[in-house]
Amino acid sequence: MLARVSTPPTFKRLPRAVREQQMLDAAVKVFSRRGFHAASMDEIAEDAGISKPMVYAYLGTKEELFVACLHREGTRMMQAIAGAAAPDLPADERLWRGLRAFFGFVGAHRDGWAVLYRQARGEQPFAGELAAMRTRLVDVVAGMLDHALRAEGREVGETELEVVAYALVGATESLADWLADHPDADPEKTATRMMNVAWLGAGQLLRGTTWRPPAS
Amino acid sequence: MLARVSTPPTFKRLPRAVREQQMLDAAVKVFSRRGFHAASMDEIAEDAGISKPMVYAYLGTKEELFVACLHREGTRMMQAIAGAAAPDLPADERLWRGLRAFFGFVGAHRDGWAVLYRQARGEQPFAGELAAMRTRLVDVVAGMLDHALRAEGREVGETELEVVAYALVGATESLADWLADHPDADPEKTATRMMNVAWLGAGQLLRGTTWRPPAS
DNA sequence: GAGCATACCTACTCGTGCGTAAGGTTACGC
DNA sequence: GCGTAACCTTACGCACGAGTAGGTATGCTC
């Protein structure tokens, strides 16, 4: 009450949709800085310029809030990538565009997405959420490889394909981390480097060249 | 006291070194099942067949305990890999042996190491610990690539090298996760697959072949 | 300008789990 | 056979943070 006197005009009453976005912004920021567990609802509320019960009223429990963050950021990323992927282009062109979009997105949301991603990997409750996104990505990549293979009349076992896709996605994530940790690095250039590793490696595989273990 | 009567011979007094290993075993098990935060010291103590204050007396706080786990498992892994790396072999042979040792290790410690690794990525307090191990790995790989490059009279910028190494390490970790999630998958085969992607891709790069972005 | 819904707050409860104090028991040296 | 040191216990203090109860202000509708 006493404090109220000094801040009468500060409290703007805002519509729900706006406040929800502010809360999500704050949540992403705090979660990414502190990690899921170390982040407190109080801090998120304070950072959003609002009180804690409002967060509960709008976004639910802490876990639900985190999932909401994951969804918003994940959806944004998927859209950014999907927007760049014209399905009737040659495989390397599609891969290139996808990678460029992906690294562009990570570069623009450094502490946003990459760190949420890191977070969600460990925490049991969200392993599922994240695994789903990852699986979608792997499937997309595997599909692309498969498509390119069939176009050349070749074919490869399903597991084989999945594993290669897994490796590529892993390499890409790893470079995304690297990018997030190097604020002055160029996303475009990073995408090119990834493309080099991925395409030369995968390209060889597509052409039927394989490496065989020595007889040891 | 009453309970004591029914269990007089149960309590073996064991030397510190033995108990410490038992505690670490239990800690690795519980941390990997529950995750760092969800794991409770009580459960770890119970699983080790000992009471909580003993854990504190020997291994210190929860964070210190986790770091101790990380160190033990990390050291074991590094040794497994180092033991397989004769420095005077050709680069692809060395890479192959390293990968085989690595996947062999992960295969043998599925819920041990791979999951701790996943854990440590997110949690702020351990980002440093893990980053150090990762950096060592990246340096080893980068050194190998550099060595192979110079042998062919070629040379590449330092960042370039680091990034490629980063991508390879990321892809390898990703496959390690895949392996940990597929209990009946063959580590040897997984290593071969990784070798395919890595070596064909890196091999091309070594030979000077590079992919260039289209003029868009 | 009464009524009603929505935005928003302060100030609590309560569980959980880290870390510890204080004391009991076994082995071993002398 | 007795001290002493290491081993091991039960039982607690205490902080922190998720989630809530209950109340106040604001604006919109008729």
Side-chain angles (χ1 to χ4, degrees), chain A residues 108-184:
Chain A
H109 299 71
R110 288 180 208 255
D111 63 310
W113 195 74
V115 192
L116 280 182
Y117 199 78
R118 278 205 272 245
Q119 283 306 320
R121 282 189 62 103
E123 309 289 341
Q124 250 63 6
F126 315 112
E129 300 287 328
L130 193 60
M133 279 181 51
R134 197 189 165 94
T135 302
R136 264 191 290 166
L137 262 182
V138 169
D139 284 349
V140 169
V141 174
M144 232 161 74
L145 292 177
D146 191 40
H147 189 69
L149 272 172
R150 289 179 194 282
E152 305 209 9
R154 289 183 28 75
E155 199 162 339
V156 158
E158 196 178 330
T159 321
E160 208 73 33
L161 218 52
E162 190 198 346
V163 168
V164 174
Y166 233 86
L168 292 185
V169 170
T172 308
E173 285 172 6
S174 185
L175 282 197
D177 276 1
W178 181 86
L179 182 63
D181 290 341
H182 293 74
D184 37 339

Side-chain angles (χ1 to χ4, degrees), chain B residues 67-194:
Chain B
V67 171
C69 291
L70 228 49
H71 270 117
R72 194 183 70 168
E73 301 300 309
T75 306
R76 283 182 179 173
M77 189 198 72
M78 286 294 188
Q79 280 174 348
I81 297 181
D88 50 352
L89 288 169
D92 63 336
E93 183 76 18
R94 279 173 71 197
L95 184 57
W96 163 241
R97 295 199 178 192
L99 284 176
R100 196 171 50 171
F102 173 74
F103 285 106
F105 181 86
V106 174
H109 297 73
R110 286 179 210 253
D111 63 309
W113 195 75
V115 193
L116 280 183
Y117 200 76
R118 277 205 274 245
Q119 283 305 321
R121 284 189 61 104
E123 309 289 341
Q124 250 63 10
F126 316 112
E129 300 288 329
L130 193 60
M133 279 180 51
R134 198 188 164 95
T135 302
R136 265 191 289 167
L137 261 182
V138 169
D139 284 349
V140 169
V141 174
M144 233 161 73
L145 291 177
D146 191 41
H147 189 69
L149 271 173
R150 289 179 195 280
E152 305 210 10
R154 288 183 30 75
E155 201 161 338
V156 160
E158 196 178 330
T159 321
E160 208 72 33
L161 218 53
E162 189 197 348
V163 168
V164 174
Y166 233 87
L168 291 185
V169 170
T172 308
E173 286 172 6
S174 185
L175 282 198
D177 276 0
W178 181 86
L179 182 63
D181 291 340
H182 293 74
D184 37 337
D186 179 22
E188 187 93 359
K189 210 165 183 178
T190 311
T192 309
R193 282 159 174 157
M194 181 62 220

